Amino acid sequence: MAARSSVAPLVGHASFPSPRLALTAVLSRKNRLLTAVLSLALLASAAAASLDRLYLAHEARLAMAARQGQGLSGGDGGGAGEREARGARGGGALWFDQALDHFNPADGRTFPQRYYEDFTHFNAAAGGPVILVICGEAPCHGIPNDYRTELAAHFGAAMVALEHRFYGQSQPFADLSTASLAYLSANQALADLATFRQFYQQRLDHLFYASHSSSHGSSGSNGERRWVVTGVSYAGAVSAWARLSYPHLFHASLASSAVVNVIRDFFEFEEQVLQSAGPLCATILRNITRRVELQLASSAAERRAVKQLFAAHSVEHDGDFLFLLADAAVFAFQYGRPDQLCDPLTQAHAKGSDTMHAYASYVRDLFFAHFGASPADYDRHSLANTSLVGPSAGMRTWLYQCCTQMAFFQTPARIGEPIRSAALNMSYWQGLCASVYGSHPRVLFPDTAATNTFFGGTAIASSRIFFTNGSQDPWKRASRLIGTYAMPSVMVTCHNCGHGVDMRGCPTWLNANHPHGDASSCSDPSVLPAVRSDLKDALESWLRPDYMPVLTGASDGRAAM
């Protein structure tokens, strides 16, 4: 891999380590001020030159790919067919040499990070903004064709999507060993965004702005485009944290279903599942869990038979199997498909049919075949596979983030009678983390208090962040639900309003056939357009050239900067 450039790591949060500060600390008090001034001048000059070198190296790679007949694919194995099937926009994959460790100035290693761009709606002459899509905890196959494309058309924005490190093809190492995954964290991902943003602004300058002597529209005072960073779920949290950590780089954030409050013992998650399911469906699911528990404990033959019924005989550990059954039900409420789960169960119950067989059909035919889940995603032996092409590679990566930083360990509800097995307690999660990654204390005990102290949790102190959540989504219990003038928070309320509903529509899973997100399929078709109108109005205000900070009043105490 190419040597890392000499650009100092970009820092937007006081707690991030800085090489410049580390060097300054060893200087004598007498010469510190003079040396710091000289160092800043040298760093500014080196940064500009380094960004130019990064851009030219990137262009050289694209030119070489074109000469080799690869076009702009950069060797992307997905191809246009896969992107179209997933409802993605933009051309082929592009690549950027990203720093492996932003917080160790002595580490010059880099890795190729995949991104996509789309200039379909970009109005460069009018100073159109840039909408950055954070792909999050999954492979990135292009720019999602959801409501963000409608925003790009409205604001004349360029769109760019960046794949998260250690997901998809943005792999720093040849394996996913615990030692390799040590470079995976939200903090590293945030620094990735900042470094990529600086590089990509240079790319836009070369492509569009060289002939313009002045900036217009939604540009910043320094002539650069205003960047709006967006994401859904974990990526929504990263979007909000990017605005918090690098306010000089990211002008605004659209944080959809953003799980900004990291929670270790996440019993509130199932409490929302109980509410979303309703009394009858929840009771049926609870009884199925109890029947499965009895069958697992009865005999080896019965244990094998119940796992075969759910097409999950490969899941050896009983706790892992019980988590699979709990998570399968969650998907229906999380992604706006409650009736596809509850209707067959309640109908079987009314007819006196076997509800467990009805649930097994849902797991096999919808959860596995339609939603794309796999028993391997829940099996600790598969999760321990360190291969990049292992059956659970993506889930291994996300579970590592949970075991080391994000947690979100879903345990039985404390209010109401829980659906999931009592075996899925904190001891189960600690054992799973230790089994998959080893018994290092950082694996066993993610310090959620430190993460929330660092980023603020639901008390995040920032501005120009628009939070949205779906009323039936269990993950809303980890989001910011109370808004202020500086950071609005809106709930999209309907029977099938789930995860990322503002961007993806109803339902929110495999919705690629409905560009820009299907609002008409929401149980109340009026709610989503109303929320989107509020979101667009807020962004319109924030992107105005004459936008000025406004004090939010005593109830908030912070400025909407």
Side-chain angles (χ1 to χ4, degrees), residues 57-358:
H58 179 75
E59 292 299 301
R61 169 181 281 181
L62 295 182
M64 180 177 294
R67 288 195 298 270
Q68 294 173 348
Q70 297 175 0
L72 294 180
S73 70
D76 178 38
E82 184 175 9
R83 287 192 300 275
E84 183 178 356
R86 293 173 179 266
R89 298 173 58 88
L94 304 172
W95 299 89
F96 167 67
D97 286 333
Q98 183 64 266
L100 174 64
D101 188 352
H102 295 277
F103 310 125
N104 180 4
D107 190 339
R109 290 175 293 174
T110 64
F111 70 95
Q113 191 167 21
R114 182 165 62 168
Y115 72 96
Y116 298 83
E117 62 185 17
D118 183 10
F119 300 132
T120 302
H121 305 293
F122 189 33
N123 191 340
V130 179
I131 295 177
L132 172 60
V133 176
I134 305 171
C135 288
E137 69 279 24
C140 192
H141 298 284
I143 296 171
N145 194 19
D146 56 19
Y147 182 62
R148 284 169 286 195
T149 62
E150 188 172 319
L151 292 174
H154 179 79
F155 291 105
M159 297 190 75
V160 58
L162 183 66
E163 188 169 61
H164 197 293
R165 59 168 57 205
F166 287 96
Y167 290 94
Q169 295 187 21
S170 297
Q171 298 295 338
F173 300 102
D175 62 34
L176 294 173
S177 66
T178 304
S180 296
L181 291 172
Y183 297 92
L184 172 60
S185 69
N187 307 73
Q188 293 281 7
L190 285 164
D192 285 348
L193 292 174
T195 304
F196 174 78
R197 187 264 187 218
Q198 296 297 76
F199 156 78
Y200 196 75
Q201 183 62 55
Q202 286 284 98
R203 173 170 170 77
L204 290 180
D205 290 345
H206 280 77
L207 290 176
F208 295 101
Y209 304 138
S211 61
H212 295 280
S213 58
S214 60
S215 300
H216 308 281
S218 56
S219 62
S221 59
N222 62 353
E224 293 190 345
R225 304 305 93 183
R226 284 180 170 172
W227 282 62
V228 180
V229 60
T230 72
V232 179
S233 192
Y234 162 68
V238 175
S239 168
W241 294 338
R243 168 65 187 149
L244 168 73
S245 302
Y246 302 97
H248 57 300
L249 300 181
F250 300 111
H251 186 74
S253 163
L254 304 181
S256 175
S257 299
V259 288
V260 292
N261 187 33
V262 299
I263 303 170
R264 184 187 293 180
D265 188 351
F266 198 13
F267 57 86
E268 299 97 334
F269 185 91
E270 187 171 74
E271 291 175 359
Q272 180 59 50
V273 171
L274 290 171
Q275 291 186 16
S276 299
L280 179 57
C281 187
T283 298
I284 295 171
L285 288 169
R286 183 182 305 115
N287 291 338
I288 292 170
T289 299
R290 304 301 173 258
R291 287 179 59 188
V292 169
E293 289 177 319
L294 290 173
Q295 199 162 340
L296 289 173
S298 62
S299 69
E302 288 293 301
R303 180 173 174 267
R304 182 168 55 254
V306 72
K307 291 183 180 182
Q308 288 176 339
L309 174 64
F310 287 90
H313 52 278
S314 61
V315 182
E316 181 178 334
H317 193 281
D318 290 349
D320 297 344
F321 176 66
L322 288 167
F323 176 50
L324 184 158
L325 295 188
D327 211 37
V330 164
F331 260 59
F333 308 112
Q334 179 172 332
Y335 292 113
R337 297 175 180 267
D339 296 340
Q340 289 183 277
L341 168 65
C342 290
D343 283 359
L345 295 182
T346 56
Q347 290 167 9
H349 175 74
K351 296 176 180 178
S353 302
D354 193 329
T355 55
M356 189 161 81
H357 280 79

Side-chain angles (χ1 to χ4, degrees), residues 479-548:
S479 188
R480 178 182 168 96
L481 303 181
I482 299 176
T484 63
Y485 179 85
M487 292 183 291
S489 180
V490 179
M491 186 69 68
V492 190
T493 303
C494 70
H495 173 66
N496 61 337
C497 286
H499 208 52
V501 61
D502 57 320
M503 297 299 173
R504 299 169 175 169
C506 301
T508 62
W509 187 262
L510 296 180
N511 203 26
N513 292 328
H514 303 283
H516 308 162
D518 188 10
S520 64
S521 295
C522 297
S523 62
D524 182 350
S526 67
V527 295
L528 190 52
V531 169
R532 286 175 169 175
S533 178
D534 291 342
L535 187 156
K536 187 181 291 184
D537 288 347
L539 199 55
E540 189 96 53
S541 173
W542 294 340
L543 291 174
R544 283 201 317 263
D546 59 346
Y547 181 84
M548 295 293 291

Side-chain angles (χ1 to χ4, degrees), residues 27-35:
L27 297 175
S28 66
R29 186 179 301 273
K30 178 179 179 181
N31 296 323
R32 183 174 299 170
L33 180 59
L34 177 60
T35 303

